[in-house]
Amino acid sequence: MFWRIITHTCGHRERISADGPYVVVEQRIRRAERSMCDSCTGHVSRWDNKLLGFCDLWGTQRQCDKAEPIRRRALNRVDALARHARIGERDAFAVLRRQILHRDDAAWWIEHRDDAVEILAQNIEL
Ligand SMILES: [Zn+2]
């Protein structure tokens, strides 16, 4: 096993595997150097979630890690749509937004990675 010590953008250092083809290793190291370490990323995203109003996800760590970007994408989409909504539709978008923030089932988010907004919107009169 070959290792390289790299410094993340947060200033923490980590030992990264340097095994594999040169191009792959270079990419892996470049990506690590451009990102925060796992612990800082987790801290920021938890803090971020509180700020945005997301509830804690329920599921295994792996499910939660998968579900997190999906629900963030869903919220971004709804916010983008809401900006173009007519005055009369604003309340419906607010309800939709709340449902995204409060849906805590990680498995549900993974299952509906592509149609979460549509599924939730079905129950709301838009
Ligand atoms: Zn860090």
Side-chain angles (χ1 to χ4, degrees):
M1 275 295 240
F2 293 100
W3 302 95
R4 283 260 294 269
I5 305 285
I6 62 94
T7 306
H8 289 286
T9 54
C10 56
H12 289 124
R13 307 181 83 192
E14 192 182 353
R15 200 173 65 148
I16 300 275
S17 162
D19 278 332
Y22 175 80
V23 178
V24 176
V25 170
E26 280 304 301
Q27 251 172 27
R28 185 185 305 145
I29 285 168
R30 192 113 358 107
R31 199 176 320 126
E33 284 175 337
R34 273 200 308 250
S35 61
M36 291 191 288
C37 73
D38 286 346
S39 146
C40 286
T41 304
H43 185 76
V44 166
S45 90
R46 275 192 300 279
W47 181 77
D48 224 41
N49 278 349
K50 264 205 192 100
L51 215 67
L52 288 168
F54 276 120
C55 62
D56 286 333
L57 281 171
W58 187 89
T60 65
Q61 187 59 48
R62 222 176 128 242
Q63 285 176 316
C64 294
D65 289 346
K66 254 187 167 169
E68 191 62 62
I70 299 172
R71 68 172 180 172
R72 278 164 184 258
R73 218 166 40 229
L75 189 71
N76 287 341
R77 239 186 101 198
V78 166
D79 284 345
L81 289 169
R83 271 197 290 278
H84 301 288
R86 289 192 301 270
I87 302 281
E89 297 172 329
R90 298 260 163 89
D91 286 349
F93 274 108
V95 173
L96 189 53
R97 200 169 195 284
R98 261 201 307 280
Q99 291 200 5
I100 289 171
L101 293 174
H102 292 156
R103 169 86 38 171
D104 62 357
D105 184 353
W108 186 90
W109 282 110
I110 295 165
E111 191 186 333
H112 295 289
R113 61 171 72 246
D114 296 318
D115 62 358
V117 173
E118 286 79 359
I119 297 282
L120 291 172
Q122 273 172 14
N123 306 317
I124 305 167
E125 305 236 349
L126 279 179

